[in-house]
Amino acid sequence: MTKWLQRIALFSFVLALALPQVAMADSAADTYKAKCAMCHGAEGAGKAAMGTKDLGSADIQKMSDADLNAAITNGKGKMPAYKGKLTDAQITDLVKYIHTLKK
Ligand code: HEC
């Protein structure tokens, strides 16, 4: 019986360690879904009607993190600026998220 309890305690401990990381990965994806997907597509593939390119394409992936960050912070063409609407940390996470869309 005590062994069993120890196992539950160990399992909860491991879960508690793992959770913050899951939450972080989720939040960039959630921000993307809430603020970006309507123009860039659910999977970042782009929408012709909006004039957005595939975020996973070589064209976008070869942009530096600083350029991606600047595009989100200051806007670009028809894209609105997110300065003041998203925190710097959220924008940095979004840049990382864009890299996960690489083809
Ligand atoms: C109202 C529609 C719209 C929304 C909302 C929007 N974008 Fe954009 N985005 C665009 C358009 C259009 C461009 C292309 C601008 C150009 O090249 O003239 C663009 C360009 C970009 C670029 C630069 C790559 C390129 O094509 O030059 C990045 C990175 C980007 N968007 C990320 C995001 C992220 C992240 C969000 C959410 C926080 C977001 N966008 C929200 C319309 C939008």
Side-chain angles (χ1 to χ4, degrees):
M1 194 60 182
T2 23
K3 271 242 168 80
W4 186 225
L5 279 177
Q6 275 174 350
R7 271 192 205 142
I8 293 176
L10 184 68
F11 178 74
S12 315
F13 179 66
V14 171
L15 197 70
L17 283 181
L19 271 180
Q21 278 162 34
V22 173
M24 203 189 101
D26 256 335
S27 87
D30 285 348
T31 314
Y32 179 85
K33 256 185 248 155
K35 313 258 181 204
C36 324
M38 66 282 221
C39 292
H40 287 279
E43 311 291 327
K47 290 192 174 179
M50 294 287 177
T52 47
K53 296 180 206 157
D54 185 344
L55 291 176
S57 70
D59 263 7
I60 306 295
Q61 293 290 329
K62 75 176 183 218
M63 289 172 70
S64 69
D65 284 3
D67 284 347
L68 291 170
N69 208 301
I72 302 168
T73 307
N74 306 319
K76 193 174 176 186
K78 284 187 223 133
M79 172 159 159
Y82 284 91
K83 195 188 178 87
K85 293 185 201 155
L86 294 173
T87 64
D88 289 352
Q90 281 178 308
I91 294 176
T92 308
D93 279 353
L94 280 168
V95 169
K96 282 189 211 146
Y97 178 75
I98 289 172
H99 286 306
T100 69
L101 301 172
K102 186 172 179 178
K103 295 276 144 70

